[in-house]
Amino acid sequence: MKIGFIGLGNMGAPMALNLLKAGHALNVFDLNAQAVETLKQAGARPAKTPKEASTDVEYVITMLPASAHVKTVLTGEEGILAGIAKHTPIIDSSTIDPASVKAFAELATQNGNTFVDAPVSGGTGGATAGTLTFMVGSTTHLYEQIKPVLSAMGKNIVHCGETSTGQVAKICNNLVLGITMAGVSEAMALGEKLGIDPQVLGKIINTSTGRCWSSDTYNPFPGVIDTAPSTRGYTGGFGTDLMLKDLGLATDAAKLARQPVYLGALAQQLYQTMSANGAGKLDFSAVIKLYRKDGDA
Ligand code: NAD
């Protein structure tokens, strides 16, 4: 396949490399010249604009920070819609709000194209290993069409429903994650204060009803899980600012839908406090620092 790939950051670069490894031909664009150069060395063709990257290709894939960036790349004078051939699908793997997806899909339709939301989970490790989960919002027909392309970058390619339901799945999952991490942090810090060995408490929770991914894989208390970011100074995981962004997407979507998200709104404030205190780049499990005496976040 000939594919235009735009957004070569922490996630996009390894995803694009996996497409190249699978034998696809890539036009690539990013504002960061170094990121483009790295992909060029790996065999991709550099483009000077999103328009150029989207010209004469069978698919366009975007992996950008937020909805404003997707809008610019899509609708700018040198944007995707200015260069893309009719009927070519645009697959956006950025995490953005469902309402923006619907607006972008409308613009794409007016241009004779389809816009698919296909956000991912699995982090940079999954992007490098090609084991990402893709949550796809599109017609069944288009899902079947794009599945082989996404399979070069991911292991689980899930059809969530019509346009924007991929983002719905993504933000609902991260809503649970943000809340459970705060809950496990609260319990681990209380246990420490009340005098139980955190290792023992961690083991009990992980074989009891409090067990969850935030406790048994990513436990926020240092030393409970050897491979968790907490055990390496809260580095190299899922950044607090990214969690804050995703909880913002969830609470904004909830506001539009007039649906309460009591715990999500509270969790958002916790991560907001961390970010305001300068801990935005730490892994989000550093939220436990808000509860511990020696915490500095
Ligand atoms: P990143 O900041 O590392 O990369 C974004 C890239 O987009 C950068 O290289 C930047 O230069 C480029 N960019 C920004 N504006 C541009 C423009 N106008 N034109 C061209 N390029 C532009 O972000 P990331 O970690 O790769 O995340 C990308 C998306 O994936 C985000 O929406 C994020 O929420 C989501 N996501 C990230 C992770 C993760 O663990 N990092 C996991 C799942 C989902």
Side-chain angles (χ1 to χ4, degrees):
M1 295 284 176
K2 239 184 129 186
I3 299 168
F5 200 107
I6 300 161
L8 306 166
N10 292 330
M11 295 292 289
M15 288 165 70
L17 283 171
N18 280 330
L19 286 170
L20 286 173
K21 272 189 218 149
H24 299 297
L26 248 57
N27 290 345
V28 293
F29 176 73
D30 194 292
L31 293 178
N32 178 347
Q34 186 53 53
V36 175
E37 182 57 30
T38 303
L39 262 294
K40 185 183 166 193
Q41 300 291 333
R45 193 180 81 73
K48 289 191 182 62
T49 60
K51 177 181 173 183
E52 191 187 323
S54 311
T55 304
D56 193 22
V57 295
E58 287 151 275
Y59 297 96
V60 173
I61 300 175
T62 50
M63 192 52 168
L64 297 157
S67 141
H69 308 85
V70 178
K71 187 173 184 190
T72 306
V73 163
L74 194 63
T75 63
E77 209 169 300
E78 295 293 322
I80 295 169
L81 294 178
I84 194 168
K86 282 208 187 326
H87 308 302
T88 306
I90 303 161
I91 304 166
D92 180 39
S93 283
S94 327
T95 304
I96 64 172
D97 60 293
S100 292
V101 170
K102 287 183 183 161
F104 297 152
E106 183 60 38
L107 289 171
T109 304
Q110 285 165 16
N111 204 60
N113 302 101
T114 38
F115 186 90
V116 180
D117 51 313
V120 299
S121 73
T124 50
T128 304
T131 56
L132 292 170
T133 292
F134 280 86
M135 295 158 254
V136 181
S138 72
T139 60
T140 307
H141 177 75
L142 195 51
Y143 163 73
E144 294 297 344
Q145 186 188 330
I146 66 174
K147 203 172 162 187
V149 175
L150 300 184
S151 295
M153 302 178 282
K155 208 170 55 173
N156 303 314
I157 320 297
V158 184
H159 187 216
C160 299
E162 290 299 317
T163 310
S164 88
T165 56
Q167 297 292 358
V168 171
K170 171 76 186 172
I171 63 178
C172 288
N173 178 70
N174 281 20
L175 177 68
V176 176
L177 180 61
I179 293 168
T180 57
M181 185 55 79
V184 172
S185 295
E186 201 160 296
M188 293 299 299
L190 176 64
E192 180 191 30
K193 187 82 173 235
L194 298 179
I196 190 171
D197 178 348
Q199 296 278 353
V200 174
L201 178 57
K203 280 201 183 86
I204 296 292
I205 292 175
N206 290 335
T207 52
S208 304
T209 46
R211 187 181 65 83
C212 58
W213 189 88
S214 296
S215 70
D216 73 0
T217 305
Y218 231 65
N219 198 292
F221 202 100
V224 172
I225 302 290
D226 287 347
T227 49
S230 56
T231 304
R232 48 172 194 268
Y234 301 97
T235 58
F238 182 53
T240 293
D241 281 341
L242 284 179
M243 174 52 82
L244 182 56
K245 174 195 141 188
D246 289 358
L247 286 173
L249 295 176
T251 54
D252 287 352
K255 198 185 294 171
L256 276 176
R258 295 178 172 274
Q259 172 69 16
V261 279
Y262 308 111
L263 298 179
L266 183 54
Q268 186 185 13
Q269 290 303 310
L270 296 177
Y271 296 104
Q272 179 108 308
T273 303
M274 289 174 64
S275 190
N277 290 352
K281 296 282 173 277
L282 292 183
D283 180 76
F284 78 113
S285 62
V287 69
I288 197 173
K289 286 170 176 274
L290 294 176
Y291 294 97
R292 295 183 67 211
K293 201 172 68 201
D294 64 347
D296 54 6

